[in-house]
Amino acid sequence: QKEVEQNSGPLSVPEGAIASLNCTYSDRVSQSFFWYRQYSGKSPELIMSIYSNGDKEDGRFTAQLNKASQYVSLLIRDSQPSDSATYLCAVSSGTASKLTFGTGTRLQVTL
Amino acid sequence: NAGVMQNPRHLVRRRGQEARLRCSPVKGHSHVYWYRQLPEEGLKFMVYLQKENIIDESGMPKERFSAEFPKEGPSILRIQQVVRGDSAAYFCASSRSGGSGANVLTFGAGSRLTVL
């Protein structure tokens, strides 16, 4: 079982719709959760971080964390073509400083 | 530019040669991480360093790979006797501190290694 799992996609949503990206993780002691966006050929950039159960909103982005289900998601409202990218879920466990990444979900926002 | 600086951005080596990738962290950051990304795959942790110390190298191949972060100068990832399977994008990231909950990493633009 992979430590951090994501559906590779592509996930295709029309412009203006809500994109829902999901991630599950296997290490129950995981404490910090991150969503990074990576455009093709570019470096990952941090979109959201979440540390406690519930929702965290930042502009059009909402991260949701459910530690009991070992599940973290990212919602993108009013999706724009510029949101088309690969979204990487990353998890940090306990006192570890390294992040474990999923393989990413490729999002395509269509006109 | 106060971001993570990596060079070279692109590097071509023949099998058996050495590759050296350099990373200067964000000013004020003393923690550096190296990740490797193979085509169509996620980022794989390689090594975590603090100034002059390797903290976690659990993701580093046992042979041919080494990393350092000297007191002065950039962090260097060194790959000796490269093979085609080493072709990948190597990303460096830095953070201000390394404790749990403070792992907000800033990534550099990456160094893309091609081994012929």
Side-chain angles (χ1 to χ4, degrees):
Chain A
Q1 180 189 7
K2 291 183 181 177
E3 294 181 67
V4 179
E5 292 208 49
Q6 297 180 253
N7 188 322
S8 61
L11 172 66
S12 185
V13 299
E15 184 177 8
I18 295 175
S20 178
L21 305 162
N22 304 315
C23 172
T24 58
Y25 58 94
S26 60
D27 190 346
R28 285 195 169 274
V29 301
S30 299
Q31 295 186 355
S32 306
F33 306 86
F34 306 87
W35 283 98
Y36 282 82
R37 178 176 63 198
Q38 185 176 28
Y39 293 110
S40 181
K42 301 296 184 182
S43 61
E45 55 178 323
L46 182 66
I47 298 295
M48 292 282 287
S49 59
I50 187 167
Y51 306 102
S52 54
N53 281 327
D55 295 0
K56 179 182 177 182
E57 186 175 319
D58 183 1
R60 295 187 296 113
F61 299 96
T62 298
Q64 300 174 317
L65 175 61
N66 184 326
K67 290 187 178 181
S69 300
Q70 296 175 240
Y71 175 92
V72 58
S73 66
L74 179 70
L75 301 178
I76 307 175
R77 289 181 298 281
D78 188 24
S79 295
Q80 302 297 310
S82 59
D83 294 328
S84 298
T86 296
Y87 289 80
L88 303 169
C89 173
V91 173
S92 176
S93 301
T95 58
S97 293
K98 66 186 183 188
L99 295 183
T100 300
F101 283 84
T103 54
T105 298
R106 190 157 62 94
L107 173 66
Q108 293 178 337
V109 180
T110 58
L111 295 172
Chain B
N1 187 342
V4 177
M5 303 302 293
Q6 289 188 249
N7 68 83
R9 293 291 310 280
H10 301 275
L11 183 63
V12 179
R13 285 287 179 266
R14 295 189 181 281
R15 281 179 296 170
Q17 292 183 319
E18 179 179 288
R20 283 193 182 218
L21 310 176
R22 288 176 290 278
C23 169
S24 295
V26 172
K27 189 175 182 180
H29 286 191
S30 59
H31 298 251
V32 165
Y33 310 77
W34 285 94
Y35 285 80
R36 176 166 62 177
Q37 188 173 38
L38 295 169
E40 305 303 321
E41 293 190 14
L43 290 156
K44 299 294 185 186
F45 169 80
M46 298 183 75
V47 63
Y48 160 41
L49 309 102
Q50 202 175 349
K51 278 291 186 181
E52 299 185 273
N53 292 305
I54 295 175
I55 307 301
D56 183 346
E57 56 181 348
S58 58
M60 285 276 274
K62 293 292 185 284
E63 298 176 349
R64 302 187 298 108
F65 286 72
S66 63
E68 63 177 10
F69 189 17
K71 186 177 181 180
E72 301 292 336
S75 175
I76 295 176
L77 179 67
R78 182 184 178 201
I79 312 173
Q80 296 177 289
Q81 300 172 354
V82 296
V83 300
R84 288 203 174 126
D86 297 333
S87 296
Y90 291 83
F91 288 98
C92 173
S94 71
S95 66
R96 184 177 301 279
S97 62
S100 175
N103 300 349
V104 179
L105 301 187
T106 301
F107 280 85
S111 292
R112 283 159 179 79
L113 172 65
T114 301
V115 180
L116 301 177

